[in-house]
């Protein structure tokens, strides 16, 4: 098998036409004529099954359509009892038709009654028919129905008959998509099936919310011609289009140095696929069955999509996105359609969906109408992501098959904060987003209103609110929010944004710019935290079963000590004459902390021996993410100036709950007694040791969670700029001492979560909280 297009049989000479192919073309042409005829959908279906039965010398031809609830319904038949139409129904997997739809594969048998999946439906009168050929009708890579032919004589259908019915099924799939076979006014649930609400997940590249209309950056071209009597002409059209495609792709790869060098390997693999001869052979074979070049591309695309989406081979499944994009590009050359709508022709709230974007392509869109961005690829350090961050446009990346799932004009609800996209959202989801967006607008206003006021509770308790940052441009939010400093600077993003590992001199330049921009305000630099979902494009990381628990963060840099030493050397040099706060990520035991401290001491000693200027003061901290450290915490605190809780990882490790798994990611709540008791114990122990404690994960940036943290004794919170307004407002409205007593009582109870009770308490006591989202959508506000 090639890299995805599949193996190919020998292609017959282009000029050879068999009687079977000519008959197949005639049938396709007659079906297309019916598609254009001014008749009702049911009449069209009835005539189609009659045509197919007559052409294939079948005593029965039936079409089953998939409806909501995964039900297949008999919509038309020639040969079975007519009163069974719209009465006979079966579930996915039930009977031969249900089996075909469930497995997405054809069934060809000369003895249907003895097939292990046969099930008798008496109202159809099908018991007399022994031979059975059924083919799935595909649309968008999913089964939309099944077309069946049957005969009383025991026979296996020949290869040319099977291929003819497959071609017919492909055509029926396009007709179902266009609405020509099912009346949506009568069968509204079919329209819902074709476009049901869905939830897609990805990675938050730029946090934020958006509600709007989908704009496909490169929507698939529409195929309007399906049948051709001239395979030589279609083959010539295909060859010209393939040459144009390959030229485009070669040019794309050649321009990789213009900001895309880190994706060179991916682009080269993409280029090789466009030159794959087996793809051309398969397209040529499809043309010889009577299809136009564009219809052949569509058919092979659908077949490839079904085959690879079910493959257990990870490489082949990953190639599917490349293959789909190449097919769509080829279709564009064949039908002459532009790649997407003009960028200035946008709805008022546009959410652009793309495979990937260049900065120039992103900037082509009207900034006043661009509400969000959804990418199949993308990374935190892609240039388009950096531009989007500057424009404050939320971006969700790594959304698999987004272009296949989303249609131009679909309603979208983008929640980059929680790594999710709601496609064609239900009314309650829409309402939740509208409330959350209103709260965000209020929060933005509150930021400016409160930015010059101290964060002090109603009973006089001061709280430090700091920002999480990853780029120099993030520091501008210090002035707009009134933040006290940077509580977490993710140094790895600068490494990920480059095409090669930065030298010590380059790192010094990066850190010095940050320090100069900050002035007297503090900044906590976290050392390199790569691995898991944060990869360096110029490194090869090992394949791991569970990378979140694998070779990452401090484990990686302790195993490669020169990396950590170089970074510490650069941080020391950039902070000469100033205060340095450095924090080690994912410390699991005191021995790891000691090894990291020893490397810092080596770099301090190296600088002293060379007469280099050192920071006036150095504070060392650790990220508390691994619960194991809690059992050595007193020893660790002897060695630390501060501890910062990474609530995201700590939460998933504490509950053994993968936060990237949609089945369990919200099964446990950060406002649960185990998590609250952990925080309370941590506050007490850090207080006794005289070590500062902060929280810098998502928990710190949510108003209700921030109330709980401050009530338990946390006095430093670090969050993104978008959350600071709401958090500051609510913390200025609480009575810390009274709330502490309430939270501790709740934490001692055997409940799953204290969220609801704390929310009621907050409302009863006049806390300045935003509206709560509906159940099932936590954290949107």
């Amino acid at each position: 098998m090639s890299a995805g297009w599949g193996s190919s049989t020998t292609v017959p000479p282009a000029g050879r036409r068999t009687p079977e192919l000519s008959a197949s073309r005639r049938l396709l042409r007659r079906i297309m004529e019916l598609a254009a005829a001014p008749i009702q959908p049911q009449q069209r279906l009835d005539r189609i099954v009659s045509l197919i039965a007559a052409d294939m010398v079948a005593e029965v031809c039936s079409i089953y359509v998939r409806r909501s609830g995964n039900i297949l319904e008999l919509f038309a038949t020639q040969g079975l009892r007519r009163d069974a139409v719209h009465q006979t129904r079966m579930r996915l997997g039930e009977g031969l038709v249900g089996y075909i739809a469930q497995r997405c594969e054809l069934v060809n048998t000369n003895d249907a009654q003895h097939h292990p999946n046969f099930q008798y439906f008496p109202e159809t009168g099908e018991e007399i028919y022994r031979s059975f050929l059924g083919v799935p009708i595909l649309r968008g890579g999913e089964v939309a129905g099944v077309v069946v032919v049957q005969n009383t004589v025991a026979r296996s259908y020949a290869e040319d008959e099977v291929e003819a019915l497959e071609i017919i099924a492909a055509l029926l799939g396009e007709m179902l998509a266009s609405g020509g076979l099912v009346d949506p006014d009568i069968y509204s649930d079919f329209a819902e099936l074709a476009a049901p609400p869905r939830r897609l997940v990805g990675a938050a590249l730029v946090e934020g919310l958006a509600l709007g209309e989908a704009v496909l950056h490169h929507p698939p071209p529409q195929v309007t011609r399906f049948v051709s009597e001239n395979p030589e002409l279609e083959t010539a059209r295909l060859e010209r289009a393939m040459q144009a495609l390959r030229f485009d792709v070669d040019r794309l790869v050649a321009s990789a140095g213009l900001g895309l060098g880190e994706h060179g390997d991916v682009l080269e693999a993409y280029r090789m696929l466009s030159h794959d001869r087996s793809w051309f052979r398969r397209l040529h074979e499809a043309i010889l069955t009577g299809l136009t070049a564009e219809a052949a591309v569509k058919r092979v695309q659908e077949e490839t999509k079904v085959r690879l989406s079910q493959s257990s081979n990870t490489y082949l499944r990953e190639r599917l996105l490349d293959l789909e994009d190449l097919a769509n590009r080829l279709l564009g050359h064949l039908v002459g359609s532009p790649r997407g709508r003009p960028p200035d022709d946008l709805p008022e709230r546009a959410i652009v969906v793309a495979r990937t974007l260049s900065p120039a392509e992103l900037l082509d869109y009207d900034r006043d109408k661009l509400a969000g961005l959804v990418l199949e690829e993308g990374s935190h350090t892609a240039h388009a992501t950096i531009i989007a961050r500057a424009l404050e446009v939320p971006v969700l990346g790594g959304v698999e098959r987004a272009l296949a799932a989303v249609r131009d004009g679909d309603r979208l609800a983008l929640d980059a904060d929680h790594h999710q996209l709601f496609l064609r959202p239900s009314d309650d989801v829409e309402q939740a987003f509208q409330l959350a967006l209103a709260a965000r607008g209020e929060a933005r206003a509150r930021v400016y209103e409160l930015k010059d006021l101290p964060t002090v509770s109603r009973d006089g308790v001061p709280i430090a609110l700091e920002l999480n940052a990853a780029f120099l441009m993030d520091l501008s939010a210090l002035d707009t929010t009134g933040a006290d400093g940077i509580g977490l600077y993710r140094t790895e993003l600068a490494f990920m944004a480059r095409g090669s590992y930065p030298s010590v001199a380059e790192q010094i330049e990066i850190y010095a710019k940050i320090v100069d921009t900050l002035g007297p305000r503090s900044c906590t630099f976290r050392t390199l935290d790569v691995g898991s979902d944060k990869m360096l494009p110029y490194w090869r990381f090992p394949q791991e079963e569970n990378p979140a628990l694998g070779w990452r963060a401090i484990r990686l840099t302790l195993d490669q000590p020169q990396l950590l030493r170089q970074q510490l050397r650069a941080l020391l040099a950039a902070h000469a004459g100033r205060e340095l706060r450095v924090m080690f990520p994912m410390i699991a035991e005191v021995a790891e902390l000691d090894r990291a401290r020893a490397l810092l001491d080596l770099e301090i000693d190296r600088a002293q021996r060379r007469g280099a200027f050192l920071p006036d003061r150095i504070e060392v901290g650790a990220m508390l993410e691994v619960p194991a450290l809690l059992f050595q915490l007193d020893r660790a605190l002897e060695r630390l100036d501060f501890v910062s809780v990474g609530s995201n990882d700590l939460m998933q490790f504490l509950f053994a709950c993968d936060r990237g798994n949609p089945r369990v990611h919200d099964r446990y709540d950060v406002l649960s007694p185990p998590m609250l008791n952990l925080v309370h114990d941590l506050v007490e122990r850090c207080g006794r040791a005289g070590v500062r404690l902060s929280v810098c994960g998502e928990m710190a940036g949510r108003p209700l969670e921030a109330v709980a943290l401050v009530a338990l004794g946390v006095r430093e919170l670090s969050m993104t700029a978008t959350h600071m307004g709401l958090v500051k407002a609510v913390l200025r409205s609480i009575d810390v001492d009274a709330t502490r007593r309430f939270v501790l009582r709740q934490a001692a109870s055997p409940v799953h979560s204290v969220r609801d009770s704390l929310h009621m308490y907050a409302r009863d006591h006049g806390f300045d909280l935003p509206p709560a989202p509906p159940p099932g959508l936590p954290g949107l506000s």
Side-chain angles (χ1 to χ4, degrees):
M1 179 176 287
S2 67
W5 298 112
S7 58
S8 176
T9 57
T10 303
V11 180
R16 192 176 81 192
R17 299 190 190 183
T18 65
E20 292 85 354
L21 292 178
S22 297
S24 174
R25 291 192 188 99
R26 285 195 298 272
L27 175 58
L28 288 172
R29 190 186 314 110
R30 293 175 70 185
I31 293 176
M32 288 300 299
E33 290 170 354
L34 275 176
I39 57 177
Q40 294 298 312
Q42 186 64 53
Q43 293 175 290
R44 188 173 291 118
L45 270 176
D46 292 340
R47 293 187 189 181
I48 287 173
V49 293
S50 296
L51 278 176
I52 297 171
D55 190 84
M56 297 189 67
V57 195
E59 294 162 83
V60 172
C61 176
S62 305
I63 293 176
Y64 297 80
V65 173
R66 184 177 174 185
R67 300 186 64 179
S68 62
N70 285 327
I71 298 295
L72 290 152
E73 181 176 315
L74 178 62
F75 261 60
T77 186
Q78 171 68 37
L80 299 183
R81 292 175 185 163
R82 302 303 291 270
D83 55 4
V85 173
H86 298 303
Q87 301 302 315
T88 297
R89 297 182 179 90
M90 61 210 67
R91 295 190 176 277
L92 230 60
E94 186 179 5
L96 285 174
V97 171
Y99 174 81
I100 292 167
Q102 184 180 56
R103 299 290 297 271
C104 194
E105 59 186 42
L106 65 86
V107 169
N108 182 3
T109 176
N110 61 9
D111 192 359
Q113 284 83 354
H114 288 89
H115 190 282
N117 294 95
F118 177 79
Q119 183 168 330
Y120 178 49
F121 294 88
E123 71 274 14
T124 64
E126 66 177 339
E127 66 273 11
I128 64 173
Y129 303 106
R130 298 183 63 186
S131 304
F132 178 101
L133 172 61
V135 174
I137 300 171
L138 302 178
R139 185 207 172 193
E142 297 184 358
V143 176
V146 176
V147 57
V148 173
V149 293
Q150 294 171 271
N151 288 88
T152 55
V153 176
R155 57 178 290 245
S156 292
Y157 294 90
E159 184 177 339
D160 62 288
E161 293 175 301
V162 172
E163 183 170 26
L165 195 60
E166 287 180 319
I167 295 170
I168 291 167
L171 182 54
L172 293 175
E174 293 297 324
M175 294 173 71
L176 279 171
S178 66
L181 298 183
V182 176
D183 188 339
D185 293 333
I186 300 175
Y187 304 102
S188 59
D189 65 323
F190 175 74
E192 292 170 4
L193 175 67
R198 292 182 62 181
R199 176 180 173 273
L200 306 178
V201 297
L205 304 184
V206 180
E207 293 184 331
L209 300 177
L211 186 64
E213 182 179 321
V215 174
L216 299 191
H217 183 61
H218 291 320
Q222 295 299 309
V223 176
T224 57
R225 293 178 57 250
F226 292 91
V227 183
S228 173
E229 285 284 351
N230 192 334
E232 293 89 349
L233 175 62
E234 297 304 322
T235 300
R237 291 182 62 228
L238 177 64
E239 288 175 343
R240 289 194 299 270
M242 287 291 278
Q243 289 175 356
L245 169 68
R246 290 165 179 163
F247 176 79
D248 286 349
V249 173
D250 289 345
R251 185 173 56 184
L252 174 67
V253 174
S255 67
L258 302 177
L260 295 175
E262 62 202 52
H263 303 299
D265 291 343
V266 173
L267 286 175
E268 181 58 27
Y270 182 83
R271 188 191 70 82
M272 291 174 65
L273 285 175
S274 72
H275 287 262
D276 186 355
R277 295 298 301 174
S278 68
W279 181 29
F280 181 81
R281 286 197 298 271
R282 291 194 67 200
L283 296 173
H284 189 198
E285 289 176 347
I287 287 173
L288 294 177
T289 66
L291 298 179
T292 61
E294 54 266 36
V297 173
K298 195 71 175 176
R299 178 186 171 190
V300 171
Q301 182 185 25
E302 291 285 1
E303 291 173 348
T304 304
K305 188 183 298 184
V306 170
R307 185 176 69 254
L308 295 192
S309 63
Q310 296 179 345
S311 172
S312 59
N313 186 303
T314 303
Y315 173 78
L316 292 180
R317 288 201 308 271
E318 290 176 351
R319 293 281 67 75
L320 177 59
L321 292 175
D322 288 339
L323 300 175
E324 286 192 29
D325 184 64
L326 283 170
N328 287 333
R329 288 177 182 271
L330 183 57
L331 281 173
H333 284 292
L334 285 166
V335 304
S337 63
R339 296 280 289 176
R341 71 173 79 183
D344 58 352
D345 178 24
L346 293 180
E348 286 304 314
R349 300 291 296 169
I351 298 178
V352 174
V353 183
R355 180 176 178 178
T356 186
L357 277 180
S358 71
E361 287 174 317
L362 177 59
L363 291 172
D364 279 339
Y365 288 98
D366 186 337
R367 300 182 194 182
D368 293 330
K369 295 181 178 180
L370 183 60
L373 184 60
V374 177
L375 300 174
E376 290 185 335
E377 295 181 358
S379 69
H380 287 88
T381 55
H383 291 182
T385 304
I386 295 172
I387 297 297
R389 184 187 301 274
L391 299 176
E392 297 185 350
V393 174
V395 182
L396 190 68
V399 184
E400 294 184 5
R401 297 176 57 80
L403 286 170
V406 179
R407 300 176 189 173
D408 211 47
D410 273 341
R411 190 72 170 162
L412 298 180
L414 171 61
D415 178 13
D417 291 355
H418 300 93
H419 323 287
Q420 57 190 346
L421 173 71
F422 294 92
L423 172 58
R424 298 176 288 271
S426 60
D427 290 344
D428 61 336
V429 173
E430 281 242 13
Q431 182 184 14
F433 269 79
Q434 288 166 355
L435 289 172
L437 285 167
R440 292 293 172 94
E442 178 187 342
R444 189 180 295 271
R446 298 302 296 275
V447 165
Y448 292 105
E449 178 187 334
L450 301 174
K451 72 182 184 71
D452 295 325
L453 299 177
T455 308
V456 178
S457 70
R458 205 159 56 195
D459 55 339
V461 176
I463 304 106
L465 297 187
E466 299 178 311
L467 290 178
N468 296 338
F471 295 96
L472 189 63
M473 69 178 68
D474 295 339
L475 304 187
S476 62
L478 285 167
D479 294 326
T480 58
T481 62
D484 296 303
I486 302 297
L488 170 64
Y489 197 96
R490 301 181 174 96
T491 61
E492 61 272 5
L493 273 296
F495 290 72
M496 294 166 65
R498 306 175 64 90
S500 60
Y501 194 86
S503 66
V504 173
E506 289 169 329
Q507 291 185 57
I508 292 173
E509 182 180 2
I510 293 169
Y511 304 139
K513 286 180 180 178
I514 296 167
V515 174
D516 290 342
T517 302
L518 285 168
R521 287 170 292 202
S522 63
C523 180
T524 300
F525 288 87
R526 182 177 69 187
T527 61
L528 192 62
D529 184 6
V530 294
S532 185
D533 60 339
K534 291 177 286 189
M535 300 296 184
L536 300 182
Y538 38 83
W539 275 6
R540 291 189 178 275
F541 286 81
Q543 292 293 320
E544 297 179 297
E545 287 293 326
N546 193 340
L549 299 177
W551 195 54
R552 54 173 288 207
I554 197 66
R555 299 168 183 176
L556 185 153
T557 53
L558 287 179
D559 289 351
Q560 305 281 339
Q562 73 279 7
L563 302 179
L564 185 54
R565 287 195 63 175
Q566 288 174 6
Q567 185 176 27
L568 293 171
R569 188 180 308 163
L571 285 168
L572 289 168
H575 285 80
R578 314 186 209 196
E579 178 182 279
L580 167 63
R581 290 186 187 178
V582 63
M583 178 166 62
F584 300 114
M586 206 178 173
I587 296 292
E589 58 177 2
V590 170
E592 286 179 336
L593 179 59
D594 284 344
R595 290 176 62 193
R597 285 293 304 252
L599 293 179
L600 176 60
D601 290 340
L602 284 174
E603 287 304 316
I604 293 172
D605 180 65
R606 178 183 182 278
Q608 288 174 333
R609 284 188 286 104
R610 292 171 178 250
F613 288 107
L614 286 169
D616 288 343
R617 173 179 168 80
I618 301 173
E619 290 193 351
V620 177
M623 290 279 287
L624 179 56
E625 302 162 281
V626 183
L629 188 62
L630 293 168
F631 298 93
Q632 284 190 303
L633 185 62
D634 292 339
R635 291 290 188 183
L637 294 177
E638 295 171 359
R639 296 157 166 82
L640 294 169
D641 298 295
F642 64 93
V643 171
S644 186
V645 175
S647 62
N648 302 351
D649 272 339
L650 179 59
M651 181 72 183
Q652 74 167 340
F653 297 152
L654 180 66
F655 286 99
C657 184
D658 181 2
R659 60 182 168 143
N661 184 336
R663 288 184 177 273
V664 298
H665 79 284
D666 58 356
R667 186 181 185 91
Y668 303 101
D669 193 350
V670 289
L671 294 181
S672 62
M675 188 68 170
L676 296 178
N677 286 321
L678 184 156
V679 172
H680 180 243
D681 180 65
L682 191 56
V683 168
E684 295 288 312
R685 295 167 75 179
C686 286
R688 289 195 297 269
V691 173
R692 296 197 321 277
L693 175 66
S694 66
V695 177
C696 64
E698 290 180 6
M699 190 178 184
R702 297 176 181 169
L704 194 64
E705 283 86 332
V707 168
L709 289 171
V710 170
L712 292 171
V714 178
R715 297 294 179 261
E716 294 182 27
L717 302 175
S718 188
M719 65 203 70
T720 59
T722 55
H723 295 107
M724 186 158 292
L726 293 177
V727 171
K728 191 170 191 177
V730 72
L731 293 182
R732 285 175 52 86
S733 70
I734 71 173
D735 184 310
V736 173
D737 188 55
T739 308
R740 177 180 182 275
R741 293 193 296 271
F742 176 81
V743 171
L744 288 177
R745 285 198 305 272
Q746 294 298 307
S749 65
V751 296
H752 171 70
S753 169
V754 309
R755 180 175 299 277
D756 290 343
S757 59
L758 180 56
H759 194 271
M760 290 177 61
Y761 177 89
R763 289 297 182 203
D764 290 344
H765 289 77
F767 292 3
D768 193 356
L769 275 178
L777 296 172
L780 277 181
S781 62

